[in-house]
Amino acid sequence: MHSYLSKEQRESYLRELFYSSFSDRRASVAIRNEEVRSLGKHLRKLYNLVENGKGLSPDAETALKEVMKFRTNGRPGFYEAKMMADYKRLLLFRGQREDLERNVQEQQCFQCINNKKLKPLTILREDDWYWGTKQQLRCGEIIADTLGGLDPVFGVLLHPAGGRTELANPNNKQFRITGKEKDEIDAILYHTATHDACGYLNEYHYMGPGYNYLGTILTVFPTCIPQSGRLAALMFWKKLINEPDTPFEY
């Protein structure tokens, strides 16, 4: 989601995501529960190889092919070639981010306000339940879309912890609720995924609208501050969730 989009265009893009992949109404980005652990294992392995400079090794190629099995299932034949091209672009974006991090460190550049350095990305543990989950793919999809329409898994590989919240943990029985309370939690999940993706893109790739991803003027914080635009964003998602019928265009 790019910063040059108008407020209406940003909302339209998020509506499309909601009806096409975010929600359960037509979950194109979602995977079956039994596949989450397997996909997560291969994503984690590929991520570690890329992080250690082995993104072009035979082991990385093997892990990538395993990930592709999940993502190409039921898709046109050309999608496998697209994913191979997407992976090369991922490595390019990863290299550009490393250059940015190195320059910030060497030049002692400061980000945004409060003389704050470039914030290090949160690292997921090897055994974290979040790997391969639908919530992780939601955040990855926005990152991947903004970077040129990559597959969501490559957005995940750039920012694995993006969108993570215990509200999305399928093993957390405390949050297994239904009805109106579930709608409240879903709104938080959608906002968290979008918030983290847009914040990451703005800070590490100089792309996207930042944390105030709807561009609301009803906020006291600049868009580089995580609290920016939070209330307006949650209201947007709640309104979308409570739409009684799926619009015909979706």
Side-chain angles (χ1 to χ4, degrees):
M1 188 161 64
H2 293 280
S3 57
Y4 57 75
L5 297 178
S6 67
K7 185 175 184 296
E8 291 74 20
Q9 289 172 321
R10 297 178 193 184
E11 290 182 355
S12 177
Y13 167 74
L14 293 175
R15 282 174 60 84
E16 171 65 27
L17 281 185
F18 174 75
Y19 284 109
S20 66
S21 59
F22 268 31
S23 72
D24 293 326
R25 302 191 188 191
R26 197 182 76 202
S28 63
V29 79
I31 56 175
R32 293 189 296 272
N33 290 334
E34 61 268 21
E35 295 176 341
V36 169
R37 185 173 300 176
S38 182
L39 174 61
K41 179 183 72 173
H42 297 300
L43 276 174
R44 183 172 63 247
K45 181 178 180 180
L46 184 56
Y47 171 77
N48 288 333
L49 289 167
V50 171
E51 287 295 299
N52 291 312
K54 299 179 180 179
L56 296 176
S57 67
D59 287 343
E61 182 179 358
T62 300
L64 175 60
K65 288 181 178 179
E66 291 297 328
V67 171
M68 288 170 58
K69 288 180 182 179
F70 292 97
R71 302 302 300 165
T72 57
N73 185 29
R75 296 177 183 269
F78 67 82
Y79 201 78
E80 183 174 342
K82 177 191 180 304
M83 287 200 69
M84 293 297 293
D86 285 354
Y87 181 66
K88 294 178 181 178
R89 294 171 66 193
L90 161 75
L91 297 179
L92 175 63
F93 287 124
R94 184 66 184 81
Q96 292 173 346
R97 193 181 77 190
E98 287 180 350
D99 290 341
L100 170 64
E101 292 171 324
R102 190 180 304 111
N103 290 337
V104 168
Q105 185 176 12
E106 290 176 353
Q107 300 172 16
Q108 295 184 338
C109 292
F110 296 91
Q111 297 292 310
C112 198
I113 64 173
N114 297 331
N115 291 332
K116 192 174 181 181
K117 290 185 178 181
L118 192 66
K119 183 175 66 176
L121 290 171
T122 303
I123 299 175
L124 285 184
R125 300 189 316 271
E126 286 283 322
D127 60 346
D128 199 293
W129 59 266
Y130 193 54
W131 286 104
T133 59
K134 183 175 180 179
Q135 177 71 0
Q136 190 181 45
L137 289 171
R138 286 175 180 138
C139 183
E141 183 172 15
I142 294 177
I143 294 173
D145 277 353
T146 307
L147 293 176
L150 309 180
D151 187 89
V153 295
F154 299 118
V156 167
L157 291 175
L158 284 170
H159 188 20
R164 189 188 185 283
T165 167
E166 282 299 319
L167 292 175
N169 189 345
N171 303 316
N172 196 333
K173 297 180 180 180
Q174 179 182 355
F175 300 116
R176 292 181 183 176
I177 55 180
T178 59
K180 190 173 182 180
E181 289 184 343
K182 183 180 184 302
D183 291 344
E184 295 282 340
I185 289 179
D186 284 346
I188 295 173
L189 292 179
Y190 302 151
H191 166 65
T192 303
T194 310
H195 167 277
D196 288 5
C198 291
Y200 165 80
L201 287 163
N202 185 262
E203 189 163 1
Y204 284 91
H205 299 279
Y206 297 143
M207 301 175 71
Y211 293 108
N212 183 13
Y213 55 85
L214 289 179
T216 179
I217 61 173
L218 302 177
T219 181
V220 298
F221 300 105
T223 194
C224 56
I225 299 298
Q227 292 82 0
S228 182
R230 178 178 295 174
L231 180 59
L234 287 171
M235 291 175 63
F236 166 79
W237 287 114
K238 289 178 183 178
K239 180 180 178 181
L240 198 54
I241 290 170
N242 289 319
E243 287 187 350
D245 300 309
T246 302
F248 72 91
E249 63 266 30
Y250 300 109

